[in-house]
Structure formats: structure tokens, C-alpha cells
Amino acid sequence: MTSPVRVGIIDSGVAEKARNLVHAVRRFEATDGQIVEAEATDDRVGHGTELTRQIAEAAPNAEIFHAQVFGEKFTARPALVAAGLDWLRDMKVQIVNMSFGMPRDHPGLRAACERAVKSGILLVASAPAQGKPVYPAAWPDVIAVTGDA
């Protein structure tokens, strides 16, 4: 029998009513200029909960780990995303979903992606169907996915 796939999501968290779908969820925030790991809060955006539900439905045997980096808005510092990705690497996930894109290359986030790829993690990130490239999808070791324009 094979082990379940360990899936990581970096997003807005998981609503309390859907926490049974995740193996673990951690929040990453900036406090006094430091990036800290904290107890997860309720998903205020709803995007992370919906992604979690879709992945759980498509892969019911998957173990889902969620790094919460978005709060009330769908914006986050690149350092928070990097910390979440490093945590997911420590959790030994095999694939990470990043349904967002940032307009600039951020060295710290790029380094976290490189560490993840070196440890065998498949990274998948959103990219626009048209327009300028976004990161992390624009980096060569990240699979860029897009919708139809």
C-alpha cells in the first residue's frame, strides 16, 4: 500500500468548519519586524478554504497541510510566503499549491522555492493568461498554471 500524498497549500487558511480536511494548519505573520509562526485563525478571505475543499474532493486520501499567510486581504509579504514554504518543506509535503502571483522577483522567496525544489517538492503557482510574468510562477523550476483569457 502506498503512502498518502502530502499536499501543501499556501493561502488564506481554512475555515473552522473545514479544519477536519487538513492534517495541519499554521499561520505566519510579521510581529515586531520578525516572521513568526502562530496558531491559525479563521479564513477571512475564503479562498484557502475553497482550495482545501477542492483538493480534498479530488484526492480524498491526501494529507493536506495549509500555511496561512493571507489575512483579511489577498496580499502577503514575500517573507511570510517563504516562511510558509519552509514549514511545508519541514512537513515533508510532496507538492505545494500557490494560487497567487507577485509582480517582482523576491530573493528570499526565490531561495525558499529553490530549497523546496532541491528537497523534491513539486511547486505549482498561478500565472496570468496575459500580461507580465508573476512570481513564483515565472521561475524555471515552478510549474505555472493559468486559466483561459
Side-chain angles (χ1 to χ4, degrees), residues 102-142:
M102 298 180 174
R104 290 184 307 283
D105 180 340
H106 297 275
L109 179 54
R110 184 172 7 103
C113 287
E114 289 169 355
R115 288 189 296 274
V117 168
K118 280 184 181 176
S119 58
I121 299 172
L122 182 66
L123 300 178
V124 181
S126 295
Q130 299 174 345
K132 296 179 181 181
V134 297
Y135 300 90
W139 292 320
D141 290 331
V142 178

Side-chain angles (χ1 to χ4, degrees), residues 25-87:
V25 59
R26 295 299 293 167
R27 179 168 50 102
F28 296 86
E29 62 183 31
T31 303
D32 297 327
Q34 301 280 47
I35 303 301
V36 296
E37 186 176 325
E39 289 296 317
T41 59
D42 201 35
D43 180 3
R44 295 182 200 130
V45 178
H47 192 263
T49 300
E50 184 56 32
L51 279 174
T52 300
R53 284 188 180 137
Q54 288 180 17
I55 291 170
E57 185 177 310
N61 295 324
E63 290 181 353
I64 300 172
F65 295 79
H66 201 114
Q68 182 181 30
V69 299
F70 302 115
E72 293 182 14
K73 298 179 183 176
F74 204 52
T75 60
R77 293 181 185 180
L80 294 176
V81 177
L85 184 54
D86 284 337
W87 175 75

